[in-house]
C-alpha cells in the first residue's frame, strides 16, 4: 500500500522508450470518426484572406468540384473551383462575378446551406434573425441566384435572436439552426421540403443544448444519415460529436464524450464552420486565422506495408530506474523521450497514461509527429500509473512500450530510523478497481460485454450493455420482459462496475412484441422498426383493423408507455388491415405475460 507521509521535491523527470516495427497494414478509419482524423498538413491549406478577412461557414457542392465560403465582413458567399475534388489546396477563386452578395437581405451573416440539388441556397444572420432563401437557375452557380422574396423567409427570432448556422435533413423535411443565445440546436419541421416559409418550430423538447460541451458554438454539421451531429465553436477549439439514436432527431442526441472529440487548437482556433466530403473521410474547417484547413482519416496516409525483408523484433529499452518505477510530482513537468526503429512507413506516436487502480487509459497526446520527445504536465490529481508509448501508422498500433510504475512523490513513507525515504510501488495487475458510489470503498470492476444484462449489488435497475458499451436502463419490468423471458440472463456486478460504464438512453420495448399507447391518449400504435432500425410507432386505424390483424384479444397486447419516452419514438404511417404486412405472432406478449 502507498502511504501519504512526506512531500518530496521533484520537478522534471525523463522516460525513455525504444520501438522496433515488425510491420503493419493501413486500415481505413470509420467514416466521420473525427477523433481519429489527422491534420493534412500546411501544404493542403487555402488562404482566403484576399477574398475576406473572416469566414463564417464553408460548404461543398455535391461532387466536391466547388467550395463555397461565407464572407462575414463582405456579407457574401464566395465561390471557388477545385481542380481535385475536395482538395482545398487546389481551389481557385471564381471571381467577384460569381459571388452572391446578401447584404440587401441580411447583414452579419453567420451560416449558409444549399438544398439537396443546389437549386436553392439559404443564408442566416443575426441582424434580421431570418432564414433567407435564394433560387439558383443553374445549380451551385451563385451568379444565377435571385432572392426568393420576404414571403419565402422564416423569422427565427421567436426561438433565438442570434442564429449562427443552418442545416437540413436529407430530404428537406426538417430544418435546424444553431442559436447562440440559447446555445442550442433548434429543430423545425417543413411541410414542403426545403421551403423554409413552411417551417414550424418542433418545440423546446426537440432542442439540443450544447453549452456543457461548447459554450461558444458557431457551426453544426450532420453526417450523411443523420445519426451523428458535430458542433464547432471558439471556446473549446474542438469538434464535438453527438450520437442521435433517431436520425435527425436532436432530442435523441447524446454526447459521445471527450474521447470522440478532435482537438484542433494546435493548428487553428475560433472554429466557425466545417464541411465533410461525400464519404465522410475528409473535412475542411474554417477558423479566424485566414485559412481553410483540411483533415483526413487514415485512409490517405501511407500504403499497405507487410514488413521489411529482414524481420525486425520489438523491444523496449528502459533505464533500470524506470523498469522499477519512479517518483514524480503531480502538477510538475515530465519529459518523455523515445526512439523508434523500422523501415517503409511514416511513424507517429501516441502517449497514454493508465491509472494503476482502475486500469482506465487516457491520451496524453495522440497522433503526434515522431520527434522523439514530449513534455507532459502531470495532472494535479495523479496518484499512480503507467505511461504507454505507441508507435502508429495512424491506422493501427505497430508497437507499444510501457514504463515502470510512476507514482506521486507525496505517496511515500519516511523511515525515521534510517532518515531515508522508503519507496513502495504497486505491482502491475490486469484487474481494474473503482470506488463504490454507495460505500466509497474500492471494488473490483467486473468484465462485461456487449449484449449483457446487468444489475448492481445495491440497486434493482437492470441495464443492457449496447454496442457502444453504454449501460441502458430498463425503466420498468414490462419493458424488460419484452426482451427476455426471465431474469436468468441478468448478471450481478459490483456497484463500481455500474459507475465505470456511461449511462445511455432508456431501453424501449422490443419491436413487434407489443402494442403501445400513451396515458391519457386513446390512440393505439403498432411498435415496429424504421429504416435505420429505430423504434417506430404506427397508428392502428381502428379497432376493427386491430382485431383483423391481432385477433379478437388484441387489447391484451396493449401496454402503456410513459409520456417522457414518447419523443424517443419516430412516427410512421397509419396501419390498417389492408396495408399491414404479415408478422410473426409468436413474438407478441400480453400484459399478463409481461407482469407475471
Amino acid at each position: 500500500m502507498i502511504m501519504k507521509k512526506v512531500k518530496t521535491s521533484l520537478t522534471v523527470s525523463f522516460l525513455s522508450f525504444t520501438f522496433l516495427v515488425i510491420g503493419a497494414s493501413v486500415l481505413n478509419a470509420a467514416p466521420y470518426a473525427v477523433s481519429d482524423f489527422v491534420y493534412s498538413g500546411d501544404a493542403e491549406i487555402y488562404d482566403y484572406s484576399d477574398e475576406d478577412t473572416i469566414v463564417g461557414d464553408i460548404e461543398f457542392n455535391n461532387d466536391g468540384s466547388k467550395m463555397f465560403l461565407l464572407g462575414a465582413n463582405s456579407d457574401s458567399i464566395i465561390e471557388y473551383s477545385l481542380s481535385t475534388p475536395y482538395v482545398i489546396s487546389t481551389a481557385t477563386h471564381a471571381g467577384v462575378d460569381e459571388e452572391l452578395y446578401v447584404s440587401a437581405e441580411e447583414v452579419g451573416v453567420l451560416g449558409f446551406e444549399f438544398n439537396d440539388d443546389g437549386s436553392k441556397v439559404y443564408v442566416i444572420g443575426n441582424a434580421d434573425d431570418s432564414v433567407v432563401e435564394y433560387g439558383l437557375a443553374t445549380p451551385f452557380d451563385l451568379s444565377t441566384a435571385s432572392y426568393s422574396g420576404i414571403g419565402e423567409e422564416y423569422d427565427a427570432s421567436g426561438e433565438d435572436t442570434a442564429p449562427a448556422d443552418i442545416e437540413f435533413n436529407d430530404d428537406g423535411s426538417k430544418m435546424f439552426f444553431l442559436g447562440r443565445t440559447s446555445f442550442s440546436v433548434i429543430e423545425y419541421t417543413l411541410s414542403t421540403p426545403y421551403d423554409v416559409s413552411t417551417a414550424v418550430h418542433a418545440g423546446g423538447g426537440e432542442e439540443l443544448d450544447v453549452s456543457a460541451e461548447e459554450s461558444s458554438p458557431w457551426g453544426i454539421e450532420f453526417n450523411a444519415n443523420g445519426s451523428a451531429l458535430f458542433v464547432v465553436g471558439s471556446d473549446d477549439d474542438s469538434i464535438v460529436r453527438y450520437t442521435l439514436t433517431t436520425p435527425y432527431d436532436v432530442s435523441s442526441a447524446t454526447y459521445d464524450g471527450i474521447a470522440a472529440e478532435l482537438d484542433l487548437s494546435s493548428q487553428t482556433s475560433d472554429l466557425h464552420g466545417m464541411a465533410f466530403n461525400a464519404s465522410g473521410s475528409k473535412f475542411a474547417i474554417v477558423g479566424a486565422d485566414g485559412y481553410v484547413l483540411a483533415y483526413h482519416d487514415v485512409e490517405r496516409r501511407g500504403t499497405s506495408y507487410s514488413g521489411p525483408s529482414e524481420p525486425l523484433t520489438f523491444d523496449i529499452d528502459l533505464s533500470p530506474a524506470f523498469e522499477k518505477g519512479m517518483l514524480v510530482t503531480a502538477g510538475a513537468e515530465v519529459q518523455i523521450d523515445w526512439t523508434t526503429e523500422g523501415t517503409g512507413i511514416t511513424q507517429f506516436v501516441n502517449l497514454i497514461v493508465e491509472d494503476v487502480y482502475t486500469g482506465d487509459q487516457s491520451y496524453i497526446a495522440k497522433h503526434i509527429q515522431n520527434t522523439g520527445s514530449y513534455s507532459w504536465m502531470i495532472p494535479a490529481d495523479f496518484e499512480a500509473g503507467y505511461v504507454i508509448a505507441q508507435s502508429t501508422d495512424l491506422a493501427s498500433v505497430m508497437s507499444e512500450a510501457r514504463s515502470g510504475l510512476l507514482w506521486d512523490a507525496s505517496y511515500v513513507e519516511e523511515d525515521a530510523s534510517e532518515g531515508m525515504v522508503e519507496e513502495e510501488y504497486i505491482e502491475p495487475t490486469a484487474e481494474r478497481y473503482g470506488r463504490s458510489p454507495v460505500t466509497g470503498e474500492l471494488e473490483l470492476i467486473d468484465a462485461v460485454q456487449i449484449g449483457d444484462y446487468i444489475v448492481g449489488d445495491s440497486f434493482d435497475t437492470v441495464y443492457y450493455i449496447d454496442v457502444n458499451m453504454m449501460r441502458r436502463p430498463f425503466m420498468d419490468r414490462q419493458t424488460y420482459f419484452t426482451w427476455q423471458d426471465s431474469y436468468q440472463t441478468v448478471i450481478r456486478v459490483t456497484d463500481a462496475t455500474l459507475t465505470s460504464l456511461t449511462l445511455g438512453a432508456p431501453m424501449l420495448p422490443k419491436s413487434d412484441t407489443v402494442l403501445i399507447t400513451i396515458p391519457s391518449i386513446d390512440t393505439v400504435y403498432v411498435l415496429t422498426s424504421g429504416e435505420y432500425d429505430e423504434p417506430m410507432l404506427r397508428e392502428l386505424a381502428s379497432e376493427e383493423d386491430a382485431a383483423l390483424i391481432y385477433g379478437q384479444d388484441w387489447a391484451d397486447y396493449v401496454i402503456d408507455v410513459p409520456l417522457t419516452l414518447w419523443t424517443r419514438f419516430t412516427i410512421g404511417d397509419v396501419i390498417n388491415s389492408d396495408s399491414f404486412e404479415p408478422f410473426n405472432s409468436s413474438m407478441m406478449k400480453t400484459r399478463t405475460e409481461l407482469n407475471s
Side-chain angles (χ1 to χ4, degrees):
M1 178 180 180
I2 297 175
M3 303 182 67
K4 191 169 185 177
K5 290 291 184 182
V6 177
K7 188 76 172 180
T8 63
S9 176
L10 184 64
T11 57
V12 180
S13 304
F14 300 90
L15 308 180
S16 300
F17 304 89
T18 299
F19 302 97
L20 289 96
V21 183
I22 59 175
S25 59
V26 176
L27 303 176
N28 294 353
Y32 303 99
V34 294
S35 62
D36 291 328
F37 279 40
V38 294
Y39 178 45
S40 299
D42 293 345
E44 291 199 36
I45 67 174
Y46 180 81
D47 182 349
Y48 62 75
S49 58
D50 287 342
E51 290 81 62
D52 205 300
T53 55
I54 299 178
V55 163
D57 202 2
I58 180 172
E59 295 292 342
F60 294 106
N61 67 343
N62 289 342
D63 64 4
S65 62
K66 289 187 176 184
M67 175 178 74
F68 303 87
L69 302 180
L70 183 64
N73 282 337
S74 59
D75 290 321
S76 66
I77 304 177
I78 307 166
E79 182 177 319
Y80 302 82
S81 60
L82 277 63
S83 57
T84 302
Y86 298 107
V87 178
I88 59 176
S89 60
T90 69
T92 301
H93 180 213
V96 293
D97 291 339
E98 296 294 319
E99 296 182 5
L100 172 61
Y101 291 88
V102 301
S103 56
E105 291 78 48
E106 178 64 273
V107 294
V109 290
L110 297 174
F112 76 110
E113 180 64 286
F114 291 95
N115 66 343
D116 57 345
D117 62 4
S119 62
K120 291 183 178 183
V121 65
Y122 311 83
V123 173
I124 196 165
N126 59 10
D128 291 338
D129 301 327
S130 294
V131 181
V132 182
E133 177 185 306
Y134 301 84
L136 278 65
T138 302
F140 295 107
D141 183 347
L142 296 179
S143 66
T144 68
S146 59
Y147 173 48
S148 299
I150 195 169
E152 295 299 314
E153 294 186 6
Y154 178 80
D155 182 356
S157 59
E159 291 77 59
D160 199 290
T161 55
D165 200 4
I166 179 174
E167 288 289 327
F168 293 95
N169 67 341
D170 53 359
D171 64 4
S173 62
K174 286 186 175 184
M175 176 178 73
F176 307 83
F177 82 75
L178 177 64
R180 282 182 53 80
T181 300
S182 61
F183 305 106
S184 295
V185 181
I186 303 170
E187 182 177 318
Y188 301 81
T189 57
L190 279 64
S191 56
T192 301
Y194 296 108
D195 184 346
V196 297
S197 66
T198 68
V200 176
H201 180 213
E206 296 296 316
E207 297 180 2
L208 171 64
D209 185 343
V210 302
S211 59
E213 292 77 48
E214 175 55 72
S215 61
S216 185
W218 286 105
I220 56 175
E221 188 80 7
F222 287 99
N223 68 346
N225 64 10
S227 62
L229 172 68
F230 304 88
V231 176
V232 297
S234 57
D235 177 60
D236 194 39
D237 292 333
S238 294
I239 299 176
V240 181
R241 176 182 165 128
Y242 301 83
T243 293
L244 282 64
T245 54
T246 301
Y248 296 109
D249 181 352
V250 296
S251 68
S252 71
T254 54
Y255 171 51
D256 287 346
I258 195 168
E261 295 186 9
L262 178 63
D263 183 358
L264 310 185
S265 59
S266 61
Q267 290 93 39
T268 188
S269 62
D270 199 9
L271 310 179
H272 286 174
M274 68 180 299
F276 287 98
N277 66 347
S279 65
S281 62
K282 291 183 64 176
F283 70 82
I285 196 157
V286 289
D289 51 7
Y291 297 99
V292 184
L293 275 62
Y295 294 78
H296 63 269
D297 67 13
V298 297
E299 179 180 9
R300 295 177 58 246
R301 178 67 66 177
T303 57
S304 181
Y305 176 64
S306 60
S309 56
E310 294 184 5
L312 295 178
T313 58
F314 168 69
D315 196 8
I316 183 168
D317 182 18
L318 291 172
S319 67
F322 293 120
E323 290 178 355
K324 176 183 177 182
M326 63 179 294
L327 292 173
V328 296
T329 300
E333 185 179 79
V334 170
Q335 181 174 311
I336 306 174
D337 293 319
W338 67 88
T339 59
T340 55
E341 297 181 18
T343 59
I345 203 160
T346 301
Q347 295 174 12
F348 293 79
V349 170
N350 300 328
L351 298 174
I352 298 167
V353 61
E354 178 180 291
D355 188 289
V356 72
Y357 297 109
T358 66
D360 292 341
Q361 295 183 349
S362 58
Y363 281 105
I364 298 171
K366 184 177 183 180
H367 293 170
I368 59 175
Q369 293 286 337
N370 184 16
T371 60
S373 182
Y374 185 87
S375 294
W376 174 42
M377 187 66 69
I378 299 175
D381 59 353
F382 180 84
E383 293 184 4
Y386 305 94
V387 168
I388 301 169
Q390 296 175 335
S391 174
T392 174
D393 60 0
L394 301 180
S396 58
V397 173
M398 297 185 294
S399 56
E400 182 176 286
R402 176 185 289 261
S403 75
L405 181 69
L406 282 66
W407 69 97
D408 182 22
S410 61
Y411 284 76
V412 297
E413 182 177 14
E414 182 177 11
D415 187 334
S417 61
E418 297 291 334
M420 301 288 290
V421 173
E422 180 183 352
E423 301 175 357
E424 296 185 276
Y425 64 96
I426 301 172
E427 293 295 334
T429 174
E431 295 180 334
R432 295 177 55 206
Y433 292 86
R435 297 202 178 273
S436 165
V438 178
T439 66
E441 298 295 324
L442 281 177
E443 294 181 334
L444 181 68
I445 295 178
D446 296 310
V448 297
Q449 59 187 359
I450 295 170
D452 281 349
Y453 295 82
I454 64 172
V455 63
D457 282 334
S458 303
F459 302 94
D460 295 326
T461 302
V462 176
Y463 299 89
Y464 175 74
I465 306 301
D466 68 8
V467 293
N468 297 312
M469 288 301 292
M470 301 177 75
R471 57 182 172 100
R472 298 182 56 190
F474 289 95
M475 305 305 289
D476 53 39
R477 175 190 180 92
Q478 66 178 4
T479 301
Y480 170 81
F481 280 109
T482 64
W483 291 87
Q484 294 293 312
D485 294 326
S486 72
Y487 287 123
Q488 292 181 355
T489 57
V490 178
I491 303 168
R492 187 166 291 279
V493 298
T494 62
D495 297 334
T497 303
L498 293 183
T499 57
S500 73
L501 299 165
T502 301
L503 181 63
M507 289 291 290
L508 300 175
K510 186 176 182 179
S511 297
D512 302 315
T513 61
V514 290
L515 304 177
I516 297 291
T517 188
I518 307 297
S520 76
I521 298 178
D522 294 334
T523 306
V524 175
Y525 297 88
V526 175
L527 174 60
T528 185
S529 297
E531 181 180 358
Y532 301 102
D533 291 329
E534 75 277 12
M536 175 181 287
L537 297 181
R538 299 181 62 186
E539 179 183 346
L540 273 169
S542 67
E543 293 186 8
E544 290 75 14
D545 289 300
L548 287 171
I549 298 171
Y550 296 100
Q552 294 302 314
D553 296 327
W554 63 271
D556 292 341
Y557 298 126
V558 180
I559 66 170
D560 286 338
V561 170
L563 186 60
T564 54
L565 297 181
W566 176 255
T567 57
R568 299 189 179 276
F569 297 96
T570 59
I571 305 299
D573 298 332
V574 175
I575 283 180
N576 57 45
S577 56
D578 294 330
S579 63
F580 191 67
E581 298 178 0
F583 72 101
N584 184 0
S585 60
S586 64
M587 294 178 59
M588 297 294 291
K589 295 185 177 183
T590 67
R591 287 191 307 279
T592 301
E593 291 175 297
L594 297 177
N595 292 285
S596 60

